[in-house]
Amino acid sequence: MEKDGKLPFLDVTVMEKSGGFHTAVYTKETNIGMCLNVNSDCPDRYKRSVVNAYVDRALSHSSEWKQVDEELRRVRQVLVNNGFSNGFVEDIIRRKVKRHATSEETTNTTPIPPIRLFYRNFSTAHKTEERVLKDIVNRNVIPTDKNQRIQLTIYYKTRKTASLLMRNSPDTKQNALKETNVVYAFKCPLGDCKLQKKQYIGKTTTSLYRHLTMHKQQGSIKEHIISSHNQTIARDILVNNTEIIDR
């Protein structure tokens, strides 16, 4: 049954709209944002495919750009929490969105499917071996139809598949510092402030680590440490006494 004009159906949230309905990506309330960690020992294309899958789903499941934007905001945070850099994620999002926006302008001609070759690899030297294999195929395999191309797919399947995944701990201090769009609280640990539980609450749209670096250079926290405690503010004081209170 629908609730508040919304009905989850598989991976899609169907929402009422005047004269019809529109859709968005559905995420379970129990979803804690676990995915392949960027530090996992696996080929780089596996990591790119994680980002591609998130972006493709946002574009295919959302009927309006507003829903696309909301889902991509969530996706950015999930990926950053799992070690992906903002630049890496933004580059893929930018290219995917641009391609999707211009896809309707392309012709309706049916593309010629590629000749797909599959190779099962066992080595951990991913980049070197994949480059050599692709070079061998490019030099020695020529399609009989000059309009076709070769698509080599290298895959890995060993007993150590579990090693491709790393259990993430989004609540750790290291990952928390990478989060963006958060409300945070700095609790002064010095002198009477600790007993009085004095704190400074702020928000940031950049990563929390970058924002704390700005506080080290200027702002209310630095002024308080200097004026009230006659000390210079250290990075460890900021990092160890700041916690995220809302996202």
Side-chain angles (χ1 to χ4, degrees):
M1 299 296 293
E2 69 175 61
K3 183 179 180 181
D4 299 328
K6 299 180 180 180
L7 178 67
F9 180 75
L10 299 179
D11 289 340
V12 182
T13 298
V14 183
M15 296 167 282
E16 289 183 343
K17 182 182 179 181
S18 178
F21 61 88
H22 57 99
T23 59
V25 174
Y26 173 67
T27 305
K28 292 182 178 179
E29 294 181 357
T30 55
N31 187 311
I32 59 173
M34 302 273 288
C35 70
L36 183 73
N37 191 283
V38 79
N39 295 315
S40 299
D41 181 21
C42 64
D44 287 344
R45 72 170 186 279
Y46 284 21
K47 299 167 187 177
R48 286 194 298 271
S49 71
V50 171
V51 185
N52 286 330
Y54 273 121
V55 180
D56 284 339
R57 187 173 66 168
L59 294 170
S60 64
H61 290 20
S62 305
S63 57
E64 297 180 1
W65 283 107
K66 177 183 177 182
Q67 282 74 44
V68 173
D69 181 64
E70 291 175 352
E71 174 61 10
L72 290 181
R73 287 176 182 269
R74 185 190 73 84
V75 165
R76 287 184 179 94
Q77 189 63 67
V78 168
L79 293 169
V80 168
N81 288 351
N82 286 277
F84 290 83
S85 69
N86 280 318
F88 181 80
V89 174
E90 288 297 334
D91 180 62
I92 294 178
I93 289 178
R94 184 168 53 252
R95 288 188 285 107
K96 283 277 186 181
V97 171
K98 182 178 179 181
R99 188 181 309 158
H100 182 82
T102 57
S103 61
E104 296 181 356
E105 301 175 5
T106 60
T107 60
N108 294 323
T109 57
T110 303
I112 300 176
I115 299 173
R116 304 188 68 185
L117 302 180
F118 296 88
Y119 182 82
R120 180 176 176 179
N121 197 15
F122 296 88
S123 172
T124 56
H126 310 297
K127 292 184 178 180
T128 302
E129 289 211 355
E130 289 188 11
R131 184 170 61 251
V132 172
L133 289 168
K134 290 178 180 178
D135 183 59
I136 291 173
V137 171
N138 290 335
R139 286 189 288 106
N140 297 280
V141 182
I142 302 175
T144 54
D145 184 346
K146 64 179 182 180
N147 294 318
Q148 280 190 299
R149 62 184 180 86
I150 301 294
Q151 180 177 324
L152 175 63
T153 300
I154 304 172
Y155 67 98
Y156 299 81
K157 187 177 181 182
T158 70
R159 289 177 296 178
K160 295 183 179 180
T161 301
S163 67
L164 297 178
L165 299 173
M166 294 178 62
R167 184 169 183 82
N168 300 286
S169 300
D171 295 332
T172 62
K173 209 69 172 177
Q174 180 180 3
N175 283 335
L177 292 173
K178 295 180 181 179
E179 293 194 42
T180 59
N181 301 301
V182 298
V183 178
Y184 62 93
F186 169 76
K187 299 179 180 179
C188 183
L190 304 174
D192 293 339
C193 290
K194 185 175 182 180
L195 299 175
Q196 298 170 4
K197 296 182 180 181
K198 288 188 176 182
Q199 62 180 359
Y200 171 90
I201 296 178
K203 67 176 181 178
T204 176
T205 56
T206 64
S207 70
L208 181 57
Y209 183 83
R210 181 180 180 186
H211 200 69
L212 291 180
T213 300
M214 296 168 63
H215 271 301
K216 188 177 183 300
Q217 298 171 355
Q218 61 181 352
S220 301
I221 296 179
K222 179 180 179 180
E223 293 174 1
H224 167 76
I225 298 296
I226 294 175
S227 62
S228 299
H229 304 290
N230 196 27
Q231 293 187 25
T232 57
I233 187 167
R235 188 183 304 275
D236 288 346
I237 290 180
L238 285 169
V239 171
N240 296 330
N241 296 282
T242 300
E243 63 178 7
I244 295 175
I245 58 177
D246 198 10
R247 292 172 174 80

